Amino acid sequence: MKRRTVLAAPLALPLAGSLTTALAGTAAAAPKGPATPAASAAAAKVRELLSQLTLDEKISLLHQWQPAIPRLGMKAFRTGTEALHGLAWLGPATVFPQAIGLAATWDPGLIREVGAAVGDEVRGLQHDRPAGWGLNVWAPVVNLLRDPRWGRNEEGYSEDPYLTGVISTAYAGGLTGGDPDNLKTAPLVKHYLANNNEVRRDQTSSDLRPRVLKEYEEPAYRAAISADAACGVMTAYNLVNGRPCTVTDLNASVRTWTDRTLLNVTDAWAPNNLPATGSQKYFGTLAEADAAILRAGVDSFTTDDTDGGPTAAAVREALAQGLLTEADVDTAVRHILDIRARLGDFAADGGPYGHLDRSVVDSPAHRKLARRTAAEAVVLLKNDRGALPLDARKLRKVAVVGPLADTLYTDWYSGSLPYAITPLRGIADRLGAGAEVTTSEAVDRVALRNAATGRYVTAGRGAGGAALAEGATAAGETEQFDVFGWGEGIVTLRAAANGKVVGMRDPDGGGYRFFNDQDQPNGWFVSQLFRPEEQDDGTVVLRYAGYENWLGDAVYLRARAGDGELVLGTAADASRYTLETLRDGIDEAVAAARAADTAIVVVGSMPFINARETDDREDMGLAATQSALVRAVLAANPRTVVVVENSYPTTLTWEQEHVPALVWTTHAGQETGRALADVLFGDVNPAGRLTQTWYRSAADLPPILEYDNIKYGRTYQYFTGDVLYPFGHGLSYTTFRYGRPRLLRDAVAVPVTNTGRRAGAEVVQLYTRQRDSRVQQPLKKLQAFDKVSLRPGETRTVTLPLPRAALAHWDVTRERWVVERSTYDVLVGASSGDIRVRAELAIDGETVPPRDLRRTTRAENFDDYAGVRLVDESKPRGTAVGAESAGAWLLFADADLRRGARRLVARVAKESPGEATLEVRLDAPDGPPAGRAVVRSTGSRYAYEEVTAAMRGAAGRRDVYLVPGEGVRIADFSLS
């Protein structure tokens, strides 16, 4: 099927707005019409306040914790209530699935409802105004999940910018209430820009060449901003192209995406990274840094906890030195006041949402929504021969086993669970009294006996536990511990005496000791982690493996002389223990499974341990103990279902091959158990879909710091290998047939029929692939989707938008969007790996002309490269290319040198002493030499000088290579 469409010039040229529409899945921000009464009133209030504030008062408003100004009737205001998947850090509140689970629903309407519920709960505390509360909420996280090892994978939505844009716009739109002039809350998207690694996150630089920036990274952030669903951005800790994101120019990017006023903030303590005393050392002083932050378009400083004094002092110093003007301060304060006015912060009644109170928090309606969302987020990975759904009427005995069978874990950005419906409870409640449900956590229970003294490690009773010490000579209840394995040799210890987890703390400054007093691993410095190390004599020593990084070599547990309390020491001082297994967890689980009609194994991660903020994953598989459990239970009972409850793709290669049914859910909040039961027993037909590629091995991935998806083959768009589960994958208990697609002017229509016996929802996904192009194009690119519910036998025509501008890519030769003349494959199916029908679309677009290198060409606009990094041309703006090693090169493909280029002119810098060269070669990095310029030291990476060289033999259409010597930075060049 083919249709040729001619793009008229008005459509082909101004692509930015059209592309935003295509990528965001929502209407782009319309030009402002006449101001609404609410907007006019807010603007007037901002002008009034700004005219009355003193300079010191204005400066005080630049910090996250803005003080009250009683003489003007201004209350205290705070930026930064956490609301990633529910109201967090402020006590019990509805906990929805983690963000990755929200996106797995592929249901923007549902996610808007979730956002609205969370916004209500944020508002619900407004009369109490507890410490840490505020109406500027830090959500959603739109960082793209291009590498599944990222520690914060649970916080993002997808590896795909379009899907991320759709879900983030829906969630943020719910948080705002839908009226940008009357905000329920003021959400911002984080973390801008290209933040997808935790290792050295405040020091690493993400290299974004223009195509990766424009086609991949920016659209994810732009979507909610351009739709007026988000009210600003939080800048990231990392650098991009050598420049800290904290001082990346938001005025030239983010603020151009909407006509609305935005409130932009820094990440916590990030301003203090910038001066010479910080980790980035980008400026000499905090005054220079804070001035640069304000000039870059950031309005609010998140730093120094509640103390705004250092920020105020630095801004005053910057004003005194002429680094800032009062107008610069006024600009930021105007943005802050505008958001506060639109929130109703200056209205006596709090505005349209001022009536909401605490009764909305964890309301019955929100509990119902939490269950529905958790069920829709479940992904059926595999279902061999109809192993699922389970028939509750035929089951007499069910075993629910595994370390996550009877517990729910929260994460760093979770709210406190108001209640917990575990998988065990949800399944038992669903089966009722007619079936027996047996269980086992499948973890070993052990006692630790000092091999030298014969005394056992003893815990305390009661909720508060006690300091662990060696004392008893027999293994009673207080000497027993359950050992949970989380992979990479890490375990947690739970005391049998009170069911509390053991962790390290420093009570009253009396030295680090270990107490059994925690419900679960938690905290910024997760202190409940241990690594048993087996010794040559068969004993073990316990290495403390918590997140603290200041303990040096003193990380081994030893019994203190005198009282026997466990404290820290070196490996030489470590106590050696005989590990006595009192109960074999796998054997217990196997016994339960063998006697059951069906075994349900619940395995997965602990969000504070396996990966989280500050900690990337290294192992993508299940923990070894959990993998062994799955194999043992399956051997005992072939009617085994495995539920994987974690926050990221997992290399389930053995499980996919052998286990009859595999189900994935993220940590899904208070209703996890009921939602799982709904799906397992067929009360809900699973319709969740994966939002990331699940690889077979970590070996399929390049190093985590390589951000060039195109060159390094990342995500479903460019990965050419064999995957475990493709992007968009998810099975159903029914089947769907796709009919012949019809190409409309700006859409694709395809009939979809439910050919099974159950009602179900199908996520119909539209991808495109460009066959011919000047540049490497994605193998597939998601353009639209629709989640459609169908009764058995029902057919519905699904119409998916496909604006021609969505076919554009960024043309580095002319620094603009282009839709090329080509044939485009239109692919419709159930996932990126399950395309059901296809059509051809012939577009009479542009042909990108050969490069004209007579014009000044930015060095960053190369076509390929080796041995170089993208670097900051100057501290305020601009990107240059720096040669990191000998053998570096840049390709500028298909250049029209006409009758011959005779002169190279390049703007270069070289900080290191001595000379280097910049060569021009043809056709290959080691091809015929055409010119050679000498580059001398300029003394600074930011001091650029013009170098020239005579050219020879450079004529016709050729691939041109620039070959810089080590240490050379190139801003731009021309060949004339």
Side-chain angles (χ1 to χ4, degrees):
M1 180 176 184
K2 182 178 290 188
R3 174 177 176 175
R4 184 170 295 278
T5 303
V6 178
L7 293 180
L11 179 60
L13 293 176
L15 285 173
S18 300
L19 190 68
T20 298
T21 302
L23 289 173
T26 184
K32 274 191 174 179
T36 65
S40 297
K45 185 63 176 178
V46 170
R47 288 193 298 270
E48 174 193 340
L49 290 173
L50 195 59
S51 69
Q52 295 175 340
L53 288 163
T54 68
L55 177 57
D56 280 346
E57 288 170 338
K58 287 185 282 191
I59 292 173
S60 75
L61 298 178
L62 299 178
H63 190 263
Q64 177 189 20
W65 294 80
Q66 301 171 28
I69 304 177
R71 71 180 188 85
L72 297 179
M74 295 176 62
K75 297 173 288 188
F77 184 86
R78 176 184 184 269
T79 64
T81 296
E82 297 292 354
L84 180 63
H85 55 109
L87 175 62
W89 300 3
L90 296 172
T94 309
V95 179
F96 293 94
Q98 291 176 309
I100 185 70
L102 296 180
T105 68
W106 289 63
D107 190 338
L110 173 62
I111 300 311
R112 188 179 183 91
E113 290 185 51
V114 173
V118 176
D120 284 350
E121 296 201 6
V122 173
R123 274 282 181 174
L125 298 182
Q126 62 192 317
H127 304 295
D128 300 342
R129 295 176 73 90
W133 171 88
L135 293 176
N136 170 232
V137 295
W138 288 354
V141 170
V142 300
N143 297 99
L144 291 164
L145 307 182
R146 43 126 227 164
D147 194 306
R149 295 169 296 191
W150 184 37
R152 304 181 76 170
N153 197 84
E154 66 197 30
E155 298 182 38
Y157 291 132
S158 173
E159 69 183 36
D160 181 76
Y162 173 83
L163 179 58
T164 296
V166 170
I167 299 299
S168 61
T169 299
Y171 189 69
L175 286 167
T176 65
D179 180 357
D181 294 329
N182 292 284
L183 297 171
K184 182 189 295 185
T185 68
L188 55 78
V189 294
K190 59 181 188 177
H191 312 79
Y192 187 83
L193 172 74
N195 175 203
N196 190 230
N197 64 274
E198 295 302 290
V199 56
R200 304 189 310 281
R201 63 178 179 169
D202 58 333
Q203 299 171 56
T204 59
S205 180
S206 307
D207 283 15
L208 299 183
R209 58 166 158 156
R211 281 194 65 200
V212 177
L213 172 66
K214 295 293 185 181
E215 297 174 26
Y216 188 70
E217 286 286 343
E218 275 193 353
Y221 300 88
R222 183 170 186 164
I225 296 288
S226 65
D228 291 335
C231 300
V233 302
M234 172 190 282
T235 55
Y237 287 118
N238 57 287
L239 300 85
V240 167
N241 297 348
R243 182 178 297 105
C245 289
T246 312
V247 290
T248 293
D249 190 358
L250 303 180
N251 298 312
S253 55
V254 174
R255 291 196 188 277
T256 68
W257 299 341
T258 178
D259 291 331
R260 298 277 179 184
T261 297
L262 300 177
L263 167 59
N264 299 323
V265 309
T266 73
D267 208 336
W269 292 84
N272 290 1
N273 293 336
L274 290 167
T277 53
S279 59
Q280 294 173 337
K281 305 185 189 308
Y282 203 68
F283 298 99
T285 66
L286 187 61
E288 294 174 82
D290 284 5
I293 290 170
L294 285 175
R295 292 198 307 269
V298 175
D299 309 301
S300 180
F301 293 78
T302 312
T303 190
D304 302 306
D305 293 329
T306 61
D307 184 7
T311 295
V315 171
R316 291 191 194 98
E317 184 179 346
L319 288 165
Q321 294 179 12
L323 302 173
L324 287 174
T325 67
E326 187 169 354
D328 295 320
V329 175
D330 286 352
T331 296
V333 172
R334 186 180 298 110
H335 298 156
I336 293 165
L337 295 177
D338 181 273
I339 295 297
R340 290 181 62 172
R342 288 154 61 192
L343 283 165
D345 193 52
F346 306 132
D349 62 357
Y353 300 101
H355 65 283
L356 292 172
D357 59 25
R358 187 177 280 275
S359 65
V360 301
V361 178
D362 188 38
S363 66
H366 292 176
R367 292 183 173 193
K368 183 178 180 181
L369 181 62
R371 178 175 180 174
R372 175 187 164 202
T373 307
E376 284 207 35
V378 172
V379 179
L380 181 60
L381 298 174
K382 178 185 179 183
N383 194 22
D384 192 19
R385 300 181 182 179
L388 290 175
L390 302 173
D391 189 342
R393 298 168 300 179
K394 297 179 180 179
L395 295 176
R396 293 294 175 263
K397 194 170 187 178
V398 174
V400 183
V401 300
L404 279 76
D406 197 26
T407 190
L408 295 184
Y409 287 125
T410 55
D411 59 52
W412 179 246
Y413 290 102
S414 287
S416 301
L417 293 172
Y419 57 90
I421 308 300
T422 67
L424 174 64
R425 179 177 167 185
I427 292 166
D429 287 351
R430 174 61 179 82
L431 287 170
E436 178 185 356
V437 178
T438 59
T439 189
S440 166
E441 289 179 301
V443 298
D444 290 348
R445 177 161 291 183
V446 304
L448 295 163
R449 179 178 176 272
N450 189 306
T453 67
R455 297 195 175 273
Y456 288 85
V457 175
T458 301
R461 300 183 187 274
L468 268 60
E470 293 181 4
T473 56
E477 184 184 38
T478 54
E479 288 70 47
Q480 300 180 24
F481 299 89
D482 296 327
V483 183
F484 289 77
W486 299 109
E488 300 181 54
I490 297 295
V491 304
T492 52
L493 302 174
R494 187 182 65 194
N498 65 351
K500 299 287 187 175
V501 177
V502 175
M504 185 185 78
R505 58 186 175 94
D506 184 13
D508 305 320
Y512 294 117
R513 291 181 288 163
F514 296 86
F515 293 77
N516 58 311
D517 61 354
Q518 297 298 306
D519 290 331
Q520 70 168 55
N522 63 86
W524 183 255
F525 295 105
V526 185
S527 63
Q528 295 83 24
L529 312 183
F530 302 90
R531 180 179 285 113
E533 296 181 355
E534 188 171 350
Q535 305 301 295
D536 292 340
D537 61 1
T539 63
V540 298
V541 297
L542 289 179
R543 180 187 178 100
Y544 171 69
Y547 280 26
E548 290 85 346
N549 58 6
W550 57 80
L551 299 174
D553 294 330
V555 291
Y556 287 87
L557 274 62
R558 65 179 178 87
R560 187 166 57 191
D563 59 12
E565 288 195 0
L566 298 189
V567 294
L568 290 175
T570 64
D573 299 328
S575 296
R576 295 195 174 202
Y577 295 104
T578 300
L579 194 66
E580 298 179 359
T581 301
L582 307 177
R583 182 189 67 203
D584 187 299
I586 290 181
D587 284 351
E588 183 181 73
V590 164
R594 184 176 290 118
D597 299 323
T598 292
I600 300 171
V601 185
V602 189
V603 293
S605 69
M606 200 286 137
F608 279 83
I609 297 176
N610 293 101
R612 58 157 285 182
E613 187 170 359
T614 74
D615 186 32
D616 294 317
R617 277 196 302 164
E618 295 180 9
D619 186 348
M620 291 176 59
L622 289 177
T625 52
Q626 297 184 16
S627 181
L629 169 66
V630 170
R631 295 174 189 233
V633 170
L634 180 62
N637 189 335
R639 299 173 300 281
T640 291
V641 174
V642 173
V643 175
V644 180
E645 186 180 332
N646 65 19
S647 315
Y648 33 69
T650 307
T651 50
L652 303 172
T653 49
W654 187 93
E655 291 78 9
Q656 168 63 23
E657 183 177 351
H658 295 94
V659 176
L662 285 169
V663 170
W664 176 82
T665 178
T666 189
H667 295 279
Q670 62 209 51
E671 288 286 347
T672 298
R674 289 195 184 104
L676 273 174
D678 288 341
V679 171
L680 293 175
F681 292 99
D683 301 321
V684 170
N685 195 338
R689 301 292 184 265
L690 299 179
T691 65
Q692 292 176 267
T693 302
W694 284 41
Y695 299 93
R696 291 186 174 275
S697 168
D700 292 331
L701 293 166
I704 195 170
L705 295 177
E706 298 290 1
Y707 274 75
D708 189 342
N709 290 355
I710 302 172
K711 186 175 183 69
Y712 292 98
R714 284 192 187 273
T715 80
Y716 79 94
Q717 291 188 354
Y718 292 99
F719 182 69
T720 58
D722 180 31
V723 303
L724 181 64
Y725 305 117
F727 171 82
H729 172 74
L731 305 178
S732 171
Y733 294 152
T734 190
T735 55
F736 299 93
R737 183 180 66 241
Y738 288 63
R740 184 179 181 183
R742 290 186 299 116
L743 300 183
L744 309 177
R745 176 172 175 77
D746 284 308
V748 178
V750 59
V752 180
T753 303
N754 182 343
T755 54
R757 297 180 179 180
R758 291 175 176 267
E762 173 74 326
V763 179
V764 182
Q765 302 166 40
L766 170 63
Y767 298 85
T768 60
R769 182 177 70 87
Q770 183 175 339
R771 292 187 184 176
D772 303 300
S773 176
R774 180 191 175 276
V775 297
Q776 181 181 352
Q777 290 288 347
L779 302 169
K780 294 186 185 74
K781 181 181 178 184
L782 181 68
Q783 300 287 11
F785 65 89
D786 192 11
K787 191 170 190 175
V788 54
S789 296
L790 298 172
R791 298 184 303 275
E794 182 182 5
T795 298
R796 187 178 305 171
T797 296
V798 178
T799 301
L800 301 165
L802 184 60
R804 296 303 179 256
L807 303 174
H809 73 270
W810 185 255
D811 175 22
V812 294
T813 72
R814 295 172 295 172
E815 297 185 296
R816 67 176 178 86
W817 294 101
V818 60
V819 176
E820 288 183 291
R821 179 187 179 93
S822 183
T823 297
Y824 295 78
D825 291 320
V826 178
L827 312 168
V828 185
S831 78
S832 62
D834 184 10
I835 300 303
R836 304 291 183 85
V837 293
R838 60 187 67 215
E840 294 180 4
L841 180 62
I843 297 293
D844 192 9
E846 294 184 67
T847 298
V848 177
R851 280 185 181 269
D852 183 359
L853 296 182
R854 295 174 303 171
R855 299 179 301 182
T856 298
T857 297
R858 298 288 303 172
E860 65 180 311
N861 286 324
F862 51 73
D863 290 295
D864 199 3
Y865 60 96
V868 301
R869 295 295 306 273
L870 292 169
V871 295
D872 49 339
E873 180 181 354
S874 69
K875 289 187 176 181
R877 62 188 58 85
T879 297
V881 181
E884 291 285 294
S885 60
W889 52 264
L890 300 174
L891 166 63
F892 299 85
D894 190 27
D896 186 356
L897 302 178
R898 302 179 186 270
R899 296 183 179 179
R902 302 184 183 279
R903 186 168 182 259
L904 162 70
V905 179
R907 210 159 48 87
V908 298
K910 185 175 184 292
E911 185 173 38
S912 57
E915 292 184 352
T917 60
L918 174 62
E919 295 183 339
V920 179
R921 290 183 175 267
L922 303 177
D923 306 328
D926 57 353
R932 184 176 183 272
V934 175
V935 180
R936 296 177 176 85
S937 174
T938 62
S940 167
R941 67 187 63 185
Y942 303 121
Y944 285 84
E945 294 181 354
E946 191 174 275
V947 297
T948 63
M951 300 277 293
R952 63 185 184 279
R957 289 179 67 167
R958 309 287 289 272
D959 287 344
V960 172
Y961 287 81
L962 292 187
V963 182
E966 185 175 354
V968 173
R969 289 185 168 206
I970 313 169
D972 53 53
F973 74 101
S974 64
L975 303 179
S976 59

